[in-house]
Amino acid sequence: MTWATAAGRFDLGDLKTQSGETITSAFISWKTHGTLNAARDNVVLYPTSYSAQHPDLEWLIGPDGVLDPQQWFIVIPDMFGNGLSSSPSNTPDYPVLVTAHDNVAAQRRLLQQQFGIDRLHAVYGWSMGAQQAYHWAADFPDAVQRIVVNCGSARTAVHNKIFLASLMATLEAAPEHTGNGRFSAPPKAAIRAFGRIYASWALSQDFYRANLHVTALKAPDLETYYRTDWEERYARRNAADLYAQLRTWDAGDISSLLYGGDLTKALQAIKAKVLLMPGATDLYFRVADNEAELPLLQSAELKPIPSIWGHRAGNPALNPPDAEFIKQNVRRWLAA
């Protein structure tokens, strides 16, 4: 079964960022699935996650998937820094910091000027996509009816920042690093270390205790698993892009632009219905973070994913039970 798709590039001109720097000749790459209805009220925005590009997200789109393109007009905007939208790899003098606020403001322009869309039925996001969903609800309270925060939080936690700092320091230690997250050549040894650090955080201790890296991910041994699931994954991306998005992630805070750093005020200002869906064993977007946010939201539900797959429980392309859990709860939320 097929459905309408389209893809393109939306030019933003010179874009001043939250930090005061400018993305010269900024642009967003995008792809849509489904058909925009006459009322323009069937729109689901699906932002990308760390290092992901829109083809990486399409596995959950389909009539039997999490997002049904026969019902929804699904817009995937590629996040700044992912190599398809404006990024260090394609933009000279790319800013030191581009925030989630910068992303959602650009996405707002894309929706209004490219498609004539002023209000979203929902924003669905996983990980950094979930951060963007939260930022949408805080930055544009009247433009979003509901959001799904899948393994994300309203503000990057300190423990999460420590993980990100280890990844940035690994890239900075590469002999190819020329300063400020730029590289004279691909830092192959650093990316190898980067992938191995990531492997220890993205999946839980219980996942490894159950030997799922062998039985579920089909790696014959640990060394193969490091290489195929992690090292090769990040070697496909430009190191400067990886570094830039780490900075975006580190700076995640829905209160930093409009609410003077007052997270309580930012959460209370959200009008959208919020589905908080953390992974039960996620090591950096913790259930406890969402538990603390829940009572400050006007309309929200906490629904942890009962999984030992850690952070990857929220992106279960190879994990049918977690995919079914997400499908059932997201479809229920979109219909609410």
Side-chain angles (χ1 to χ4, degrees), residues 174-185:
E176 298 89 352
H177 184 242
T178 59
N180 208 27
R182 300 296 188 270
F183 302 85
S184 59

Side-chain angles (χ1 to χ4, degrees), residues 112-162:
Q112 290 178 321
Q113 297 173 28
Q114 182 74 37
F115 302 107
I117 296 166
D118 287 313
R119 186 166 168 79
L120 295 169
H121 182 80
V123 184
Y124 171 87
W126 171 68
S127 194
M128 283 188 81
Q131 289 184 309
Q132 290 168 80
Y134 238 146
H135 279 74
W136 256 97
D139 285 355
F140 307 111
D142 294 316
V144 188
Q145 292 179 267
R146 52 184 59 73
I147 64 172
V148 179
V149 177
N150 179 353
C151 297
S153 63
R155 174 185 284 166
T156 302
V158 174
H159 190 246
N160 196 338
K161 286 175 175 282
I162 293 169

Side-chain angles (χ1 to χ4, degrees), residues 72-94:
W72 307 112
F73 181 61
I74 302 157
V75 182
I76 307 178
D78 284 290
M79 187 167 55
F80 290 133
N82 81 341
L84 295 183
S85 292
S86 292
S87 307
S89 61
N90 59 34
T91 303
D93 299 321
Y94 187 83

Side-chain angles (χ1 to χ4, degrees), residues 11-25:
D11 292 314
L12 295 149
D14 291 346
L15 182 67
K16 188 173 182 179
T17 67
Q18 183 184 358
S19 68
E21 298 177 274
T22 298
I23 305 176
T24 304
S25 301

Side-chain angles (χ1 to χ4, degrees), residues 281-294:
T281 56
D282 195 327
L283 297 179
Y284 42 82
F285 289 114
R286 301 297 306 281
V287 174
D289 295 326
N290 290 158
E291 287 176 336
E293 296 159 357
L294 182 66

Side-chain angles (χ1 to χ4, degrees), residues 50 88 171 181-183 185-187 191 234 237-244:
Y50 181 69
L171 294 177
R182 300 296 188 270
F183 302 85
I191 290 295
Y234 292 114
R237 298 290 183 251
N238 181 280
D241 293 350
L242 293 174
Y243 190 94

Side-chain angles (χ1 to χ4, degrees), residues 2-7 30-37 42-44 58 61-62 67-76 115:
T2 60
W3 54 88
T5 63
W30 56 266
K31 187 170 182 180
T32 62
H33 293 258
T35 302
L36 181 62
N37 64 17
N42 68 330
V43 184
V44 176
E58 294 175 318
I61 296 173
L67 300 177
D68 181 1
Q70 295 181 324
Q71 181 176 8
W72 307 112
F73 181 61
I74 302 157
V75 182
I76 307 178
F115 302 107

Side-chain angles (χ1 to χ4, degrees), residues 137-138 141-142 144-146 266-274 298-299:
D142 294 316
V144 188
Q145 292 179 267
R146 52 184 59 73
L267 289 165
Q268 291 175 337
I270 290 174
K271 298 178 181 180
K273 297 178 179 179
V274 181
Q298 295 181 32
S299 177

